[in-house]
Amino acid sequence: MSFFALKTIALLSMLWDHLTFVWPLSMTLETLLYPNCQESIPWITALTSCTNYLGRIAAPIFLFSIANGFRHTRDWKKYALRLLVFACLAEWPYFLLFGFHGNILFTLLLGLLTLQLLEWGNGKRAGLGYLLAAGMVTAVELLNVVEGDGRYLLFILVFYLTDSWSRPKKFLLWLVLMPLSRYGLTWMILSEGLFTLRWLHLWGVNALGPLLGVALTFCYNGKKGTSFPGDKYLWYIFYPAHLLILGLIRQSFI
């Protein structure tokens, strides 16, 4: 699978996730098909539960793209500047849609800087880069100012450092790492005994759902794929543009 195909899948997954945030699938289908029904429709509930996983594909692919992009970029500073510019452009639309700050482009920017710290530090002294990268991950996790926090930075590092690993070895690592990264949700469910279908589904979507995106990155063939004039900026422009449109629509409902 080419890099273009991966990014297209991530874009569609993100769009689905944001569309269903504005128009929840269960509510939309029940309104259209059963306008007078006062109870939840089982098949709609089941369908919604399954399709919730579609929106979790995007983030791992975006994180993978930073690791892959850093490995192949000719100028990481220009790459970082591009992320910064579009992160700033997307921040107000992001707040408009979700009501809080720290869109994922800022996360990706911090991930790129973390990789640069890793390489720079290890170039100065053996092991220093790992220490600096760990410090960045910890600081971002504690500050809690961007989407995904330090967990997403850690994932970018894992994608970068395990590039040469075999697929089975990568799969086993992610199978352990992804659920562990949701330690807060896991602890809440265990400590409060929230063993209901609703909470277990929530855990599954957030702790196991992203593994679908990770699995797709294993299919990357190392090729760029389809290209056209300006394709580099399509993904960046789409992000703030669709957030703005959906944010304005959502605000009109409030």
Side-chain angles (χ1 to χ4, degrees):
M1 185 181 297
S2 70
F3 196 47
F4 180 87
L6 274 176
K7 289 192 295 184
T8 301
I9 291 172
L11 184 149
L12 293 175
S13 170
M14 176 183 66
L15 181 59
W16 170 262
D17 192 44
H18 294 170
L19 281 173
T20 54
F21 177 78
V22 178
W23 294 287
L25 182 61
S26 58
M27 185 183 301
T28 302
L29 290 178
E30 287 173 4
T31 300
L32 291 174
L33 302 177
Y34 305 94
N36 299 317
C37 186
Q38 301 298 316
E39 299 180 358
S40 298
I41 309 301
W43 75 265
I44 292 180
T45 301
L47 177 64
T48 302
S49 297
C50 292
T51 55
N52 283 342
Y53 287 87
L54 295 177
R56 296 300 178 267
I57 293 173
I61 296 178
F62 288 136
L63 302 178
F64 169 79
S65 71
I66 291 297
N68 187 66
F70 179 77
R71 189 177 294 107
H72 294 101
T73 187
R74 297 175 183 176
D75 190 335
W76 74 269
K77 293 180 181 178
K78 288 184 179 179
Y79 192 5
L81 180 60
R82 188 162 60 246
L83 285 169
L84 176 61
V85 169
F86 283 96
C88 291
L89 290 174
E91 189 60 8
W92 182 71
Y94 185 83
F95 179 81
L96 194 65
L97 179 59
F98 297 112
F100 50 88
H101 293 287
N103 71 79
I104 196 170
L105 289 183
F106 282 117
T107 313
L108 300 182
L109 172 60
L110 290 172
L112 184 69
L113 296 177
T114 301
L115 294 180
Q116 176 60 25
L117 276 176
L118 175 72
E119 292 298 330
W120 178 85
N122 284 342
K124 293 293 183 180
R125 180 177 299 177
L128 177 60
Y130 295 109
L131 184 62
L132 293 173
M136 177 71 93
V137 170
T138 302
V140 173
E141 180 68 19
L142 292 176
L143 289 173
N144 189 29
V145 292
V146 294
E147 185 175 334
D149 300 321
R151 178 177 73 254
Y152 277 9
L153 267 62
L154 176 62
F155 292 168
I156 290 172
L157 282 168
V158 171
F159 277 125
Y160 184 71
L161 295 172
T162 63
D163 179 61
S164 61
W165 287 22
S166 65
R167 289 179 182 176
K169 191 176 178 181
K170 288 181 184 178
F171 176 76
L172 289 175
L173 174 62
W174 283 104
L175 192 60
V176 174
L177 180 61
M178 191 63 73
L180 282 179
S181 71
R182 305 301 304 192
Y183 61 88
L185 178 61
T186 303
W187 175 251
M188 184 174 68
I189 291 174
L190 292 175
S191 62
E192 299 183 21
L194 302 173
F195 301 115
T196 63
L197 184 60
R198 174 178 175 272
W199 282 100
L200 292 176
H201 170 66
L202 181 65
W203 184 87
V205 167
N206 289 282
L208 300 180
L211 290 173
L212 297 172
V214 172
L216 286 173
T217 67
F218 296 167
C219 301
Y220 175 53
N221 59 16
K223 298 180 180 179
K224 182 179 179 181
T226 304
S227 62
F228 49 86
D231 66 330
K232 180 188 296 186
Y233 293 94
L234 171 63
W235 322 104
Y236 292 101
I237 294 172
F238 181 85
Y239 185 68
H242 93 282
L243 289 177
L244 179 60
I245 293 170
L246 292 177
L248 291 172
I249 291 173
R250 184 168 185 268
Q251 290 299 314
S252 70
F253 294 157
I254 298 176

